[in-house]
Structure formats: structure tokens, C-alpha cells
Amino acid sequence: VHPTLAGKKGPEVEPIEVDRVVALRPDAVFLATPNELSASLARPLVDAGIAVVDLSGAFRLKDRDAYPRWYGFHHPHPELLRKAVYGLTEWCPKLRDAGLVANPGCYPTSVLLALRPLERRLLAGAPVICDSKSGVSGAGKRSDLAFSFCELAGNFKAYGVGVHRHEPEMRAELGFPADAPFVFVPHLLPVVRGILSTIHVTFTRPLEAPELLELYETAYGGSPFVHVLPPPELPDLASVVGTPRAEIGFALLQGGRQGVIVSAIDNLLKGAASQAIQNFNRVFGLEETEGLEWN
Amino acid sequence: VHPTLAGKKGPEVEPIEVDRVVALRPDAVFLATPNELSASLARPLVDAGIAVVDLSGAFRLKDRDAYPRWYGFHHPHPELLRKAVYGLTEWCPKLRDAGLVANPGCYPTSVLLALRPLERRLLAGAPVICDSKSGVSGAGKRSDLAFSFCELAGNFKAYGVGVHRHEPEMRAELGFPADAPFVFVPHLLPVVRGILSTIHVTFTRPLEAPELLELYETAYGGSPFVHVLPPPELPDLASVVGTPRAEIGFALLQGGRQGVIVSAIDNLLKGAASQAIQNFNRVFGLEETEGLEWN
Amino acid sequence: VHPTLAGKKGPEVEPIEVDRVVALRPDAVFLATPNELSASLARPLVDAGIAVVDLSGAFRLKDRDAYPRWYGFHHPHPELLRKAVYGLTEWCPKLRDAGLVANPGCYPTSVLLALRPLERRLLAGAPVICDSKSGVSGAGKRSDLAFSFCELAGNFKAYGVGVHRHEPEMRAELGFPADAPFVFVPHLLPVVRGILSTIHVTFTRPLEAPELLELYETAYGGSPFVHVLPPPELPDLASVVGTPRAEIGFALLQGGRQGVIVSAIDNLLKGAASQAIQNFNRVFGLEETEGLEWN
Amino acid sequence: VHPTLAGKKGPEVEPIEVDRVVALRPDAVFLATPNELSASLARPLVDAGIAVVDLSGAFRLKDRDAYPRWYGFHHPHPELLRKAVYGLTEWCPKLRDAGLVANPGCYPTSVLLALRPLERRLLAGAPVICDSKSGVSGAGKRSDLAFSFCELAGNFKAYGVGVHRHEPEMRAELGFPADAPFVFVPHLLPVVRGILSTIHVTFTRPLEAPELLELYETAYGGSPFVHVLPPPELPDLASVVGTPRAEIGFALLQGGRQGVIVSAIDNLLKGAASQAIQNFNRVFGLEETEGLEWN
């Protein structure tokens, strides 16, 4: 499937039943399976004491009632929703020895990394606007006319406004109630990889650039995979695609009352695979950079 | 320069002095020259009673003092700034027999067409967020590393936040004072043509979709080149690139208090050349569609 | 399907039975239907004296026995194969009043326009190599993983070597027997539109550039839609995409014994739709440029 | 310059004089400098007994008289041309302890890997056609309108036919005299990275696929970075971009008398940087895969 990852002979890949995985007694299992399948597979693995890092949406929401609406199925193991820790690595204090990690969605990763350091500075009631743009790989490998080359090359559009399943995930993690003016508009970029979110916020009082920079530096100074850019630098996709890191920059407008935060990640790495490895490392007390070391 | 526009022999193109243009006594002249050059060239043409449609920024701002800051030169003919009419065709009642038309900028065209119908519905003091994305041709033909294929293919970024010269143009046309929370963030898409603006607004009171649709239909029902899409349809670039038209769609959020308006144009046509022809047609009392007739 | 071609209301498109088409007694019908469907539909139309321009492969080969192998079906109306004229407009003397025109394939159009003027100059037995590269629209609108954006962006490959159905079409039109060393290698470019063929030939004797240029000029001097470029100019896709014309250029190597001929067309226009209109014009004795007039 | 290669702080990069390099007594130096600069810099390094791997064209040709014509300068150290070994790793038996390695050009790497195993099978006097297609990064980082996004997106063209400096390099390495019908036509693909060469050859006698496959397997069975694909598989760019490997596949036509060999590499890796590391490893008796180990 991914020939560039293969060596001369390619790896041996074979189908496997969950019972056999349990019998093998691995320390951990990464699930990169469809939402509903992950929801089922995790139970026997967790029961066997195997640490599970799940890359689907099966354990990202705490509210079992949200699953039918946003994911289209009744959760078969709602009791696991409380047990699962939400693995936004830099903001998850409970990863050590966690039995079940819900790896965040790609959009939420890009948005939450930008917003979490600001939470006490956001003017209550003012809209928080997340205008996000994603590469096409976010949709997975699909035989679908809507994702064909001829439809997307040279094109650009917004989609899923108000109905994207990453929105309740972000609201829940940010503690925003359903009636808070939190706006998430995803767009489809004609690129393969990467997410760039442009986030518009209103502050409780005018901020100056050094103050805001310090907020971000305090949050991420010790994080190997979140790079904060001093203004007027702003991230672009080319600086993060192919890497496990997020880049965050910002601009202040209206005398410092309005903020524009720009956050960029590789949706397949920090938005999925490399964050899963960060989480694995943290579960087992390893260095967060283990296996991701070039950075 | 543009071989696809040429026939077998190509057109004869020759340098020409403004004096000779004046001597030829044309009805009208289109200026597609750099800002400072347009500012100079228009004077003798206007004096000779030749209608001028200027595609540069030389006459878009009414305030002479804005030119040094936003355009980097002192306007040589500030007396023409009042005379010039701002040619957002669908919203310009004074085009008939106008002597000097300032053709709008590409970003302002996409934003103003979306916002003008809403003016009385916008909650005072609430931010109006224009998150705009443009193809690379918006930067013109440039031998510049920043616009090279390798820098831009697969890339995406925001730029010019708070310092783009189209921002004062939009503020002035919308009647927003300098301290109004009007936010404009342009982005560079890896496509050649097209602008898509995602505009986030707060309404004075909750609106329902039919009500908002009617506002737009009332504004544009008679306009051949502005197509309003009923929700949940939203425009994409592919539907407008290569055409003289704008497409506008919207979504309502937060029970109708927040609006997401999406507006798409071809930056080189409705954002420049075809709007110039619309304006020319209106100046001379011709059908607005003359010369643009396929639509 | 193609919103940029639609006006504000869009055209009325409705399904129609061939009987009803016959009853309407049109002068001509364009068939842009799948190969096997065209093969059936043409019969009643031709019987009714309606001129048919067929854009499929249903009538491009004269040999009924070739259809099962190359097209996967037995031709239902092999008697029409002789009647059909092969509409490579510039080389088809029998278009006037033709009852059935087989519009050429896109690859053959690009190759034959380059090779037909050279026929008596090609060294017998020396390989004729057609290394052709096509945009993705050549494959049609398809919900197929192989044509998805993520598979094709940044990618390039050869395909169908020795098994592409356009090869027998070219061989037949060039009069090359099955054992002649005629090599056709199609490639898939990561662009939407356009075909560029690089054709490598050996001449019977060394040629000089003016001599070869004159051969092409003689062939195409009167053709509005074939532009011959003097060396060292070579065509590129950008010069032909969106236009009804072919561009042909060449370079001479090895002291004039080897030729590299480069031919470029828009696969959807000269390779399909606009050539169909050229053919229609010629069938009815109209100007070849009618309906294609900007050029 | 390449932010994705940098860590959180970025590496310290500083200008350095060649004298200081010599004084530091490194084992080896990689020169990735312009042709003329490499030609000068190598002398003092070689004199100091430092192994040099040069990625420019300064030492690729053995004939000093070729430099003015193909590279535009008189070689300042022609005595080094004989000393330099041409580092097409898989075909260079003299790398151990070499003092100066000329790293091959990107096009020659893709072509020579495909042709070297065939040399005794090529029909003398029959044309060898190398129809090569390269991504834009092959031109380096350039502020040049010809390499701007708007000129290249959606475009494709041949260039430099008969005048590309990689042609004499290939002829010399293949032992083809100046009048041999060796044709090299480079093209510019609208992708950032990768070269795919389609090579057309005539064999001395008809070959069958297993025979040709064995020729390639014999040549490359022990090479970690050349993958031979069994027919009908052919390489594409996506399988090699981002990797240090070449992929080679083929098709036989005309009863096995004509061969189409397709060769793909990443022009920046096997065509430059990773081949330099292979060569370095071989100079010092290290495993060829050292530092390139994922494969």
C-alpha cells in the first residue's frame, strides 16, 4: 500500500484475529481501524491488560449519546469512554500507565494546541472562529469521484459546516457548551498532506505580542514537537509536512483585542501516527521523542 | 505572454504613448498598469473626455493620505480620487457616463459581494472575520523565489495579516471605522486562479435560512453574474474559475446567530478583467453581459 | 456536471430515447457515449439520414475482428465500419456530406498530426517511438482509487504499454503493419488537461531544419487549428489547453538523421470536442472555424 | 532553508573558508557547490588527503575540452579529471579509498542504471532513445519566472533537446561515440521531486521477459538501492520519492525486439544526496546502507 515505506522485499503483512493478538501478550496495540471496529476491538485488548492507543474516533467523546448522532452507531462499550484518556500529548497529564488512549482527531490537534494556552484570555461570549484547511489524505484512501484528481486539482472549498464530527470533540475538550459561539469550518485543500488552521479570537483585554508569545512559550517551551514562532512569522504547511511537529504563530489586530492564531501540522503525523507514538512513549515512561528522534 | 489568447499569427502588440492614445480619441481606455503609473496616466485621458476603467489600486481609496501608507507613493492627482466611482458593478449606481472607474480589488470583490446585502443585519461591535484564500496569479507574473513552483506546490499559508492594502479598501466601502473589529486574513492557495472567501459574521438576531436566502436573492436576482446558492450548497473554485461570475452560499450556526458566508470568484475575471467589462458596459449604457455573453 | 458551462439557471438536460431523436429529424447528432453504446446508437441515426459525429472508439477501426480484442465487444454493426470516415480533420478529404464520422482518439490526434507530413521521409524499418503524456481527464470521470488526488498528485508513470487501444488506431491510419517497430508508450501526467507527445523518428536521409519546417508548413499552412513552431521553439501544454488547436515543433539530432517531433493538444478539445465541431463544419460545408471562432 | 530538516532550534550553519576546512582535517568533504566553484575547491582538499565527494558536474567528464562547451568554463584543474572516479555506485568498482568522487547527474543516474545491464544486447546502430521527465527541483532554487508556480502548474514541456549537459556524461559512460544515435530528451514535470526515464531500445535478437529480468536481477540482486520490478509492473514516481532507491521495470514489444525500460528515482536522493552517501560509505569500507538504513 505504501511502497516508499517498504524495503527491497517489503514487510510481511498478514491478517490477524484479535484473539491471537491477545494470546501474543504484546505490551501495546495501536488500532488504526474504522471507528466502529475500534469500539469493539478495544474491549478484549484492554481486558487482557494490553495498552491500547486508538487512532479512530471510537473513544474521543465522553458522552455515549453523542455516538449515534456524530458517528452513526451506538457505542458497544460505553463503559470504556470514561476510562479512555484523550491523548493530546502536550495537554494530557494522565498518560503514564494509561490502559486506553484516544488519539485526537487531526483537526482537533491543530485547533486545541493553538487554543489551550489562551483559555483564560478569551472573552466570554465572543465567537471563537476556527477556519481550518486540510489536505486530501485526511479523507483516507477512497474510490470516490469527489476525491478524484480532476475534481480537486485547482479546486478549493468549504465542507461539513456545522456537521463535522470533530466539532463536538473540540467543544468538549475546550469546555465550550453547545450554545457557545464556537465556529469550525473545514476546507479541502488541493494538497496531499497537512492541516493549517486560522483561528480568530477576541481577548478579554488588549494583549501585546511579547505577552502572548510568553503564554505560548510557557505552554510549549519543554515540548519537543510544538514550535512557537515569534511574530511576524507564521507557519506554512511546507515547514511541518513530513515532520512530527506542530508550528504555531500569531498576529494581533485591533490594538491587541483580536488575535489571529495560525497552527500547522502534518495531519498524518502530529495529527495521527506520530502523536500516537508520543502517547505510547508517555504511557511507558519513555522519552517522548523515542522513535521520532530526528527532531 | 498569453499564447492561448492568440490566434495563429498572434495579435500585433506595440508600445504606445499616452499622447498618442489621446490623439486617437477612443471612447474608453482600460488601464491595467501598476498603481503609480495608473495614477499618472489617468489624468490626461480624463481631461480628454475619454472614459477610463482602471484595474489598479490608484483610485480605489478616497483618502489621499492613505496612499503613502498602503501604496508607497504620494498620489499625483488626488483631485481625481473624488471623481472616481468605485466599480463594484452590482453595487455602483453611478456608472452611467462615469469618466473614471476604479475597478475593485480581487479580494474586496469577493468579500463585498458577500457582505453588502447583510449590512443592516450585522451586530454592531461583533467581529466580521474575512478568511480569504487566493490562487497564485493574484500576485502577478513575478520572478520571485517565493512564488516558485517548488515553494508553493503542496504548500499553504496565511500572509499579510493586518497589512494588506485591500483591507482599507474593504473597510472604506463597508463604512467600518479603523477601530471596528474587521479582520481580513489572506492566504495563498496552491492553485493558479480563484479566490474563495469564508466570512464569519454575527447577526443582530437569529436568522433562518429562507430569510437570509431572500436577502441575497433580492440583492442579486437581477444580476447576471452573481449566483446565489441555496443551502446547504456552498461554492467551490471549480465552479467559477474561467467564468465572469461570483457564487455565494451560506450556512447558519448557533441557532442562526452566526453566519458563515462563502464567496467564490475567478480573481482574474470577476476580480479584474470581466468586472472591468461589466463596468465599461454600464458606463456606455450597454447590456451588462455584452462581450461576456456565454453566461 | 460542468457548472462553469452553465448560466445562472443552467441548461435543461433530459434523458432521451434514440427513437425520439430520429423523430426530431435533426441535421446531425454528436454521440459522446461509451464505445459499445455508440456502436448501437449510430445505426438508426444513419438510417434516418442524420449525420453522426461519434466521439467514441466505435467506428475508428476498419477491422471488425479488432473489436473483441481491443474494445472487448463484438461490433453489432460492422457494416458501418467501412462507411465511417476517420475524422482527423486536416487529413480527411471525404468529410463533405459524410454520414458517419469517427472522431479520432486523443492520443492518435496528437501523434498523427505530427507524423502524417513525414510519411515519405521515415526510414523503413527504423523504430517510430511515440512517447505520449496525457492529463488525467483522458480517463473520464471515474470513482476509482487509481485516479484519486492522493494517488496522482506529485506522481507520474507509464501505463498500458503495448496494450492501449489507441495503438491499433494509429498503426492503421499510418499504414504500419503489425510487425513494424511502432512503439506507443502512454504516461499519466498530474495535470487535468492536455496531451504532449514526444515522437522519435529516423529519416531516410539527413534533413535540415528549413526543409522539415517547410514540410510542416505545406501540410498545415492553411489549417486554422494546427500551429507549426519554428525551431528551436517547442510547444508546451499551457499554450494549447483551453484552445481548439494543436501545436507542433521539432528538433533535429545526429546531423539531421534523427528527429524529435513534439506535438501538444488539449485532449478534451482538439482531442475530442472541438475536432468534432471542425468535422461537423466540414460535413455541412461551413467554415472550419465556425463555433470555434476565437482562434 | 529547509525547515523540515531542522529541529526546534535549527542547526548552527556558518560560512567557512576552504583553508579552515583543510585545517580541521576531516576524513571527507561533500561539495554541493556550483560547477565552477567545485572545480576550484576540490584541489586543496584532495591535496590534503581529504576524500571529496562532489555533487556538481565539475568532475563528471573526463575530457577537459568538453568543459567550455557544456559547462561554460575552462576547467582550472584538468589534471583531476582523470583522478576522479565516476560514482554511479552500483557500477563503480574503484570507490574504495578513492580520493575524489564525481557524483553522477540525476538524469544520468536514472538512465545509466537502466542501460548498463543491457550493453551487450543493444543492436549496434539502432537508436537508443531516453525520454526523461524530471520534477522542478532539478533546476535548483531559482527566482526565475520560468520556474514560477503559475508557469508550471498544469503545464508540461520538453526542453534542452540536444543541448543538455547531462547528454555527454551519459554518452561517455556508455561508450557511445558522438555520432551514435543516442537521443536524450528531458521534460519538465509539474511535480517537485522525482525523475522517470522511459528508454526505448532495440535488441540484437528477440528477448523474452524472464531473460531480461534475469539480466537485471544479476546486475542488481545484491544492491540494496536498486529494485527490479517483474513485468508487467512498472515504477512510478510515488514509489521512489523520499527514498534512496531506484526502481526499474520493463516491457517487451515487437516480439521482444524492442524494449521499453522505465527507471524512476528521487532526483534529490538517488540522483544526488543519498548516492553521495552510498559513495562515501564505499570509499571508507562501510556498509553501503549506513545512514540510509530504513530501506
Side-chain angles (χ1 to χ4, degrees):
Chain A
V1 176
H2 292 289
T4 58
L5 301 179
K8 193 147 183 177
K9 297 271 171 204
E12 301 284 328
V13 178
E14 47 182 313
I16 190 165
E17 294 296 316
V18 68
D19 290 350
R20 202 157 145 249
V21 176
V22 168
L24 288 169
R25 296 266 146 211
D27 291 324
V29 164
F30 293 89
L31 291 176
T33 35
N35 300 304
E36 198 165 359
L37 189 54
S38 277
S40 292
L41 288 176
R43 183 77 265 178
L45 296 167
V46 168
D47 288 346
I50 298 165
V52 172
V53 181
D54 177 44
L55 283 87
S56 84
F59 300 101
R60 291 178 189 157
L61 305 180
K62 292 295 171 208
D63 176 8
R64 63 189 294 171
D65 296 334
Y67 277 88
R69 173 175 174 199
W70 294 102
Y71 283 92
F73 65 91
H74 288 274
H75 204 291
H77 296 291
E79 72 283 359
L80 285 177
L81 295 176
R82 294 263 135 229
K83 178 179 175 59
V85 300
Y86 185 79
L88 184 69
T89 320
E90 289 76 9
W91 292 91
C92 183
K94 299 179 293 185
L95 281 164
R96 189 73 170 103
D97 297 324
L100 175 55
V101 180
N103 217 54
C106 49
Y107 283 122
T109 297
S110 82
V111 166
L112 295 172
L113 287 175
L115 282 177
R116 293 296 296 265
L118 303 182
E119 281 174 16
R120 284 158 42 174
R121 306 305 177 111
L122 300 181
L123 182 65
V128 172
I129 310 283
C130 301
D131 200 285
S132 293
K133 300 88 180 178
S134 173
V136 183
S137 61
K141 281 196 165 232
R142 286 162 63 159
S143 303
D144 186 333
L145 183 61
F147 295 95
S148 71
F149 185 85
C150 291
E151 299 297 311
L152 297 182
N155 202 357
F156 179 69
K157 65 180 167 186
Y159 70 98
V161 186
V163 299
H164 196 287
R165 59 177 55 144
H166 284 176
E167 183 174 328
E169 182 181 336
M170 290 186 268
R171 279 182 181 273
E173 291 301 316
L174 290 165
F176 284 171
D179 64 347
F182 176 79
V183 172
F184 169 58
V185 178
H187 299 73
L188 191 57
L189 282 171
V191 307
V192 176
R193 291 168 78 154
I195 287 180
L196 187 140
S197 292
T198 310
I199 302 167
H200 306 270
V201 297
T202 307
F203 296 117
T204 51
R205 62 168 176 80
L207 288 182
E208 302 206 10
E211 204 176 351
L212 188 51
L213 187 59
E214 198 188 327
L215 270 181
Y216 278 110
E217 290 289 8
T218 302
Y220 297 120
S223 297
F225 297 127
V226 183
H227 295 204
V228 178
L229 306 181
E233 282 185 59
L234 292 175
D236 63 5
L237 287 188
S239 296
V240 298
V241 166
T243 85
R245 72 183 176 231
E247 287 195 1
I248 298 173
F250 62 85
L252 289 168
L253 300 173
Q254 304 304 118
R257 297 187 48 129
Q258 284 287 136
V260 177
I261 322 295
V262 179
S263 164
I265 60 170
D266 185 327
N267 57 312
L268 301 180
L269 294 177
K270 182 61 182 167
S274 72
Q275 184 154 254
I277 292 176
Q278 281 183 269
N279 287 334
F280 169 91
N281 289 337
R282 293 279 297 278
V283 168
F284 289 93
L286 304 171
E287 282 295 311
E288 197 171 311
T289 54
E290 198 69 32
L292 304 166
E293 54 239 284
W294 94 77
N295 229 22
Chain B
V1 175
H2 292 289
T4 57
L5 301 180
K8 194 148 185 178
K9 298 271 170 203
E12 301 285 329
V13 178
E14 47 182 312
I16 190 164
E17 294 295 316
V18 68
D19 290 349
R20 208 166 135 240
V21 176
V22 168
L24 289 169
R25 297 265 145 209
D27 291 326
V29 164
F30 293 90
L31 291 176
T33 36
N35 302 303
E36 199 166 357
L37 189 55
S38 277
S40 292
L41 287 176
R43 183 75 266 177
L45 296 167
V46 168
D47 287 347
I50 299 165
V52 172
V53 180
D54 178 44
L55 284 84
S56 83
F59 300 101
R60 291 177 189 157
L61 305 180
K62 293 293 173 211
D63 176 9
R64 62 190 294 172
D65 296 335
Y67 277 88
R69 174 175 174 199
W70 294 102
Y71 282 92
F73 66 91
H74 288 275
H75 204 291
H77 296 292
E79 72 284 0
L80 285 177
L81 295 176
R82 293 264 137 227
K83 177 178 175 62
V85 300
Y86 185 79
L88 184 70
T89 320
E90 289 76 9
W91 293 90
C92 185
K94 296 180 295 184
L95 281 165
R96 189 73 171 100
D97 297 323
L100 175 55
V101 179
N103 216 54
C106 50
Y107 282 122
T109 297
S110 82
V111 166
L112 295 172
L113 287 174
L115 282 177
R116 292 297 296 266
L118 304 182
E119 282 174 16
R120 286 156 43 171
R121 307 305 177 111
L122 301 181
L123 182 66
V128 171
I129 310 283
C130 301
D131 200 285
S132 293
K133 301 88 178 177
S134 173
V136 184
S137 61
K141 283 200 163 228
R142 287 163 63 158
S143 303
D144 186 332
L145 184 60
F147 295 95
S148 71
F149 185 84
C150 291
E151 299 297 310
L152 297 182
N155 201 356
F156 180 67
K157 64 179 166 187
Y159 71 98
V161 186
V163 298
H164 196 289
R165 60 177 52 144
H166 284 175
E167 183 174 328
E169 181 181 335
M170 289 185 270
R171 278 182 183 273
E173 292 301 317
L174 291 164
F176 284 171
D179 64 348
F182 176 80
V183 173
F184 169 58
V185 177
H187 298 73
L188 191 57
L189 283 171
V191 306
V192 176
R193 292 167 78 153
I195 287 180
L196 188 141
S197 292
T198 311
I199 301 167
H200 307 270
V201 297
T202 307
F203 297 116
T204 50
R205 60 169 177 80
L207 288 182
E208 303 206 9
E211 204 176 351
L212 189 50
L213 186 59
E214 197 189 325
L215 270 181
Y216 278 110
E217 291 288 9
T218 301
Y220 297 120
S223 297
F225 297 127
V226 183
H227 296 204
V228 179
L229 306 180
E233 282 184 60
L234 292 175
D236 64 4
L237 287 189
S239 297
V240 297
V241 166
T243 84
R245 72 185 177 227
E247 288 196 1
I248 297 173
F250 63 85
L252 289 169
L253 300 173
Q254 303 306 119
R257 296 190 45 131
Q258 284 288 135
V260 177
I261 322 295
V262 179
S263 163
I265 59 169
D266 184 326
N267 58 313
L268 301 180
L269 294 178
K270 182 60 182 168
S274 71
Q275 184 155 252
I277 291 176
Q278 281 183 271
N279 287 333
F280 168 91
N281 289 337
R282 294 278 296 279
V283 167
F284 289 93
L286 304 171
E287 282 295 311
E288 198 170 313
T289 54
E290 197 69 32
L292 304 165
E293 54 239 283
W294 93 77
N295 227 24
Chain C
V1 175
H2 292 289
T4 58
L5 302 180
K8 194 147 186 177
K9 297 270 170 204
E12 301 284 328
V13 178
E14 47 182 312
I16 190 165
E17 295 295 317
V18 68
D19 291 350
R20 204 159 142 248
V21 175
V22 169
L24 289 169
R25 298 264 145 210
D27 290 323
V29 163
F30 294 90
L31 291 176
T33 37
N35 301 304
E36 197 165 359
L37 189 54
S38 277
S40 292
L41 287 177
R43 184 73 266 178
L45 296 167
V46 168
D47 288 346
I50 298 166
V52 172
V53 181
D54 177 43
L55 284 86
S56 84
F59 300 100
R60 290 178 190 158
L61 305 181
K62 293 292 173 213
D63 177 7
R64 63 191 292 173
D65 295 335
Y67 276 89
R69 174 174 174 201
W70 294 102
Y71 283 92
F73 65 92
H74 288 275
H75 204 291
H77 296 290
E79 72 284 0
L80 285 177
L81 295 176
R82 294 263 135 228
K83 178 180 175 60
V85 300
Y86 185 78
L88 185 69
T89 319
E90 289 76 11
W91 293 90
C92 185
K94 297 181 293 185
L95 281 164
R96 189 71 170 101
D97 296 325
L100 175 55
V101 180
N103 217 55
C106 49
Y107 282 122
T109 297
S110 82
V111 167
L112 295 173
L113 287 175
L115 282 177
R116 292 298 296 266
L118 303 182
E119 281 174 16
R120 287 157 42 173
R121 307 304 178 112
L122 300 182
L123 183 65
V128 172
I129 310 283
C130 301
D131 200 285
S132 294
K133 301 89 179 175
S134 172
V136 184
S137 61
K141 283 200 162 228
R142 287 163 62 159
S143 303
D144 186 333
L145 184 60
F147 295 95
S148 72
F149 185 85
C150 291
E151 299 297 311
L152 297 183
N155 202 357
F156 180 68
K157 64 179 167 188
Y159 70 97
V161 186
V163 299
H164 196 288
R165 59 175 56 143
H166 284 176
E167 183 175 328
E169 182 180 335
M170 290 185 270
R171 278 183 182 274
E173 292 301 317
L174 290 165
F176 285 171
D179 65 347
F182 175 79
V183 173
F184 170 58
V185 177
H187 299 73
L188 191 57
L189 283 171
V191 307
V192 176
R193 292 168 78 154
I195 286 179
L196 187 141
S197 291
T198 310
I199 301 167
H200 306 271
V201 297
T202 307
F203 296 115
T204 50
R205 62 167 176 81
L207 288 182
E208 302 206 11
E211 205 176 349
L212 189 50
L213 187 59
E214 197 188 327
L215 271 181
Y216 279 110
E217 290 289 7
T218 300
Y220 298 121
S223 297
F225 297 126
V226 183
H227 296 205
V228 178
L229 305 180
E233 282 184 60
L234 292 175
D236 63 4
L237 287 189
S239 297
V240 297
V241 166
T243 84
R245 73 184 176 227
E247 287 196 1
I248 297 173
F250 64 85
L252 289 170
L253 301 173
Q254 303 305 118
R257 296 186 47 126
Q258 284 288 135
V260 178
I261 322 296
V262 179
S263 162
I265 60 168
D266 184 327
N267 58 314
L268 301 180
L269 294 177
K270 182 61 182 167
S274 71
Q275 184 155 252
I277 292 176
Q278 281 183 269
N279 287 334
F280 169 91
N281 289 337
R282 293 277 296 279
V283 168
F284 289 93
L286 304 171
E287 282 295 312
E288 197 171 313
T289 53
E290 197 69 31
L292 305 165
E293 53 240 285
W294 92 79
N295 228 22
Chain D
V1 176
H2 292 290
T4 58
L5 302 179
K8 193 149 183 176
K9 297 271 170 204
E12 301 284 328
V13 178
E14 47 181 313
I16 190 165
E17 294 296 316
V18 69
D19 290 351
R20 207 160 140 245
V21 176
V22 169
L24 289 168
R25 297 265 144 211
D27 292 324
V29 164
F30 294 90
L31 290 177
T33 36
N35 301 305
E36 198 165 359
L37 189 54
S38 277
S40 292
L41 287 176
R43 184 74 267 179
L45 296 167
V46 168
D47 288 346
I50 299 166
V52 172
V53 181
D54 177 43
L55 284 85
S56 84
F59 301 100
R60 291 177 189 158
L61 305 180
K62 292 293 174 211
D63 177 6
R64 61 191 295 172
D65 296 334
Y67 277 88
R69 173 175 174 200
W70 293 102
Y71 283 93
F73 65 93
H74 288 274
H75 203 291
H77 297 290
E79 72 284 0
L80 285 177
L81 295 176
R82 294 263 135 228
K83 179 180 173 62
V85 301
Y86 185 80
L88 184 69
T89 320
E90 288 76 10
W91 293 90
C92 185
K94 300 180 292 185
L95 281 165
R96 189 72 169 102
D97 296 325
L100 175 55
V101 180
N103 216 55
C106 49
Y107 282 121
T109 297
S110 82
V111 166
L112 296 172
L113 287 174
L115 282 177
R116 292 299 295 266
L118 303 183
E119 283 173 17
R120 286 158 40 174
R121 306 304 177 115
L122 300 182
L123 182 64
V128 172
I129 310 283
C130 301
D131 200 286
S132 293
K133 300 88 179 175
S134 173
V136 184
S137 61
K141 283 199 163 228
R142 287 162 63 159
S143 303
D144 186 333
L145 184 60
F147 295 95
S148 71
F149 185 85
C150 290
E151 299 297 312
L152 298 182
N155 202 356
F156 180 68
K157 64 178 167 189
Y159 71 98
V161 185
V163 299
H164 196 288
R165 60 176 54 144
H166 284 176
E167 183 174 328
E169 182 180 336
M170 290 186 269
R171 279 183 182 272
E173 292 302 318
L174 290 165
F176 284 171
D179 64 347
F182 176 79
V183 173
F184 169 58
V185 178
H187 299 73
L188 190 57
L189 283 171
V191 308
V192 176
R193 294 168 77 152
I195 287 180
L196 187 141
S197 291
T198 310
I199 302 167
H200 306 271
V201 297
T202 307
F203 296 116
T204 50
R205 61 169 177 80
L207 288 182
E208 301 206 11
E211 205 176 352
L212 189 51
L213 186 60
E214 197 188 327
L215 270 181
Y216 279 110
E217 290 288 8
T218 302
Y220 298 120
S223 297
F225 297 128
V226 182
H227 296 204
V228 178
L229 306 181
E233 281 185 61
L234 292 175
D236 63 4
L237 288 188
S239 296
V240 297
V241 166
T243 85
R245 73 183 176 229
E247 288 196 0
I248 297 173
F250 63 86
L252 289 169
L253 301 173
Q254 303 304 119
R257 298 187 45 128
Q258 284 288 135
V260 177
I261 322 297
V262 180
S263 164
I265 59 168
D266 185 327
N267 58 314
L268 301 180
L269 294 177
K270 182 61 179 167
S274 73
Q275 184 155 254
I277 291 176
Q278 281 183 269
N279 286 334
F280 169 92
N281 289 336
R282 293 278 296 280
V283 168
F284 290 93
L286 304 171
E287 282 294 314
E288 196 171 312
T289 53
E290 197 69 31
L292 304 165
E293 55 241 283
W294 92 79
N295 228 22

